[in-house]
Each structure stands twice: as C-alpha cells, then as structure tokens.
Amino acid sequence: MAESNFIDYVKILCRSGKGGAGSRHFHRAKYIPKGGPDGGDGGRGGHIILRGNSHMWTLLPLRYQRHIFATDGQAGGADRSTGKDGEDRIVDVPVGTAVFDAETGGFLCEITEDGEEVKLLRGGKGGLGNWHFATSTNRAPRYAQPGQPAIEKSVVLELKLLGDVGLVGFPNAGKSTLLSAISAAKPKIGDYPFTTMEPSLGIVNYRGDKSFVMADIPGIIEGASEGKGLGLRFLRHIERNAVLLFLIPADSDDIRRDYEILLNELREFNPDLADKSRVLAISKSDMLDEELREEIAKELPEDVPSVFISAVTGQGLTELKDLLWREINSEDNQVKQTLTHRDLDVRHRVEEEDNFIFQQEDEEDEELPPMTDEDWEDEFWDEESSVN
C-alpha cells in the first residue's frame, strides 16, 4: 500500500482554539474621572470542523497534515470591545468517513453526505469582561473571566466505501472479474492471489433506469479477523453495505465450509455484519455440467439464497442482479441498520499509523483542568493576572 494513493485510515491530532480572556479595563476620559468598568468580552476559540466532500476518494491529504490546530480567540478590549474569534479549521474528508477516539477507540461521528459539517472539537468560550459584574454594591470590579481552554484530542479517521452490495470471498474467487462484467469498473484482474490491493466501486445497471453500487474488497483468508492477509484492513468497507454477496468458486473442495469460514471472519470482525442480508453466488460455473451442478446445489446452505454464475460467459448474471435488487429493497433489509460501526480495538488498528508520535513541547501553553459552564460563572482573574 505504500505506492497507492488510496488511504483509508489516518490518525491525526486536533486542537481547538482557546477562548480569549475578558478585559478588566476601566473607562478613562478627561471629564469622566470615574467612568466605571468597560472591559470587553474575549473572543471564542476556533472550532475543528469536518466537512464531507464528494470529490475526494481518499484520506491521502491528511496523511501529510497530521496536526490540525485552530487559532485562539483574542482578549477583550476597552469600551466593551469584544475580542476577535479564533479562526475555524475546516477539514474536508471523503463521504463515508467515520471518526473514532484514538485513545479509547470509541465511535465519535461520521460524514455520510456531501457538504455535511460536523463540529468535531468546539472552541473555548471567551471570558466575560468586568463590566458584566458591576452591581450597585460593587461598582468597580477588578476581575474578569478567563477564556475556556482548548480541547485537544487524537482521532482516527476511517474511510468506509458507500455501496449497496459488498463482495466477500477468498482470493481468486472471481470478485474483480464479476465487478468488471456487470459494471463499468476496471479493477485489476490476474491469475494470482491478492490481485486486488485496494477496494473499488462499480455502478451496476439494472433493467434500464435502475442501478445499485457494488463494492469489491481484497480477498479474505481464514484468520483475517486476527490480522492475517489483507482482509482485516479492508473489512471496514463492507460495514456500510446493505447486502453481502459471498462469492465461492465452483472448484472449491467444500463450498459450505468455505461459506462458514467467510461468515465466521465477518462475525469475529464485527458481530453486526452477521445480521446483514446475504446472497451466495457460485462463480466459475461454466466448468460444471448439469448433473454436477445439481449435486453441488444439494450441499449449499439453506438459510441463504444462492445462484450459479459465470462472469466470463454471462451465465446467471441476470438472475444474480434480480436476486440482489430484491434483497436490497426488501422490507426486512430496510428496517435493519445498514451503517454499523464497531469500536476500534488492537486488531482493527493500522500499526504504522498508530505508532506516529504526536507529542509536541509547547512551553507557552499551560494545561488547565477541565471546567464546566457553571465553573465559569464563579471563576475570575485577580488583579495581577488580568488583561489590560
């Protein structure tokens, strides 16, 4: 994957802006010796905002921009002048990007539409100036609120392809050949294992004016959920698919056993995948005669609809499209949640990304303890630590 531009996993460090401090300024004029407090409020810190961009198909830009920091809000000034707000940082990501907390692995948010914006980290609120605290008994308050501190968080971005049907199978099962036969996609095809090194999408035309999207991922081998082969790294892409198409070649020694192995790997990766609609296709069926096909049909799993196909001769492809379209639009499938997210764990992380070191020494920034909104009402700066 080092030579590929398709990057679907990135770990970055984000930091919102600090809120500006309120001012404790007092009005001074030649003929107004006691003008009273007029310190302005501090500006809010900048937000970190994620925005969906349908023109992006990879997280490659973020691989070379690992630190994303918003600017701090400015302090308030005289004459009740409010400090300038910090500049927001808008980060464009491909549609289908899911965000996880890098420390806990918990799911945070997702971007599923073009132009959709999600405020990942909120900038700190600006502190109130001293004029807010003037009362009949305290006409010259010499304190003001500090701004709220910045929020810093390391997050993991995962790109999950948006497709209606996800292809699942062992290497050399004919997944790429099938995708190229029923769509305009041109995936790499070869007579050796792991020809597909990155996911690809194809739009399948169905009976004239209808269509659905099919996603192809690298082949899965037994033990993929534990990190073997390439399947583990790309299994995330079928979490968004409404229907899973299991593809097993007709020359397999035991089709039922191969199906169970593939299904078990999906369960181990994410148990929710077992609840998705499934279809079983026996590829390379052009090498079978009628008698052998009937014998194989008796051994197929009974809990999943199956079809014999050949991407080379076109055998069974129309029947396969009909079956997939029916499963995609079935009432049971519409009720199920098609977008499933599992929390990240050690097996699901990309080692070279997680080993990236974020630590930066910043002597000017002092870490402050987290505070609630109620704390800010009673927390003020004394005269020595005030601004202006």
Side-chain angles (χ1 to χ4, degrees), residues 167 174-189 200-205 212 214 216 247 283-284 309-318 320-321:
L167 284 170
K175 300 187 300 299
S176 298
T177 305
L178 173 63
L179 184 64
S180 64
I182 63 176
S183 73
K186 301 299 180 184
K188 184 178 180 181
I189 300 174
S200 56
L201 291 176
I203 299 177
V204 181
N205 293 323
F212 57 88
M214 181 176 289
D216 178 25
L247 204 64
S283 63
K284 306 178 183 180
I309 66 170
S310 172
V312 176
T313 64
Q315 171 191 341
L317 295 186
T318 301
L320 175 63
K321 291 181 183 180

Side-chain angles (χ1 to χ4, degrees), residues 246-250 252-260 279-283 285 288 292-309 319 323:
F246 288 76
L247 204 64
I248 300 177
S252 171
D253 295 333
D254 191 334
I255 294 179
R256 178 186 289 270
R257 178 179 177 277
D258 289 348
Y259 170 76
E260 293 296 336
V279 173
L280 175 60
I282 310 303
S283 63
S285 296
L288 302 177
L292 187 55
R293 184 180 306 171
E294 293 178 358
E295 293 181 3
I296 294 178
K298 298 177 182 179
E299 301 176 358
L300 297 180
E302 299 178 357
D303 60 339
V304 56
S306 58
V307 59
F308 289 86
I309 66 170
E319 183 182 355
L323 185 56

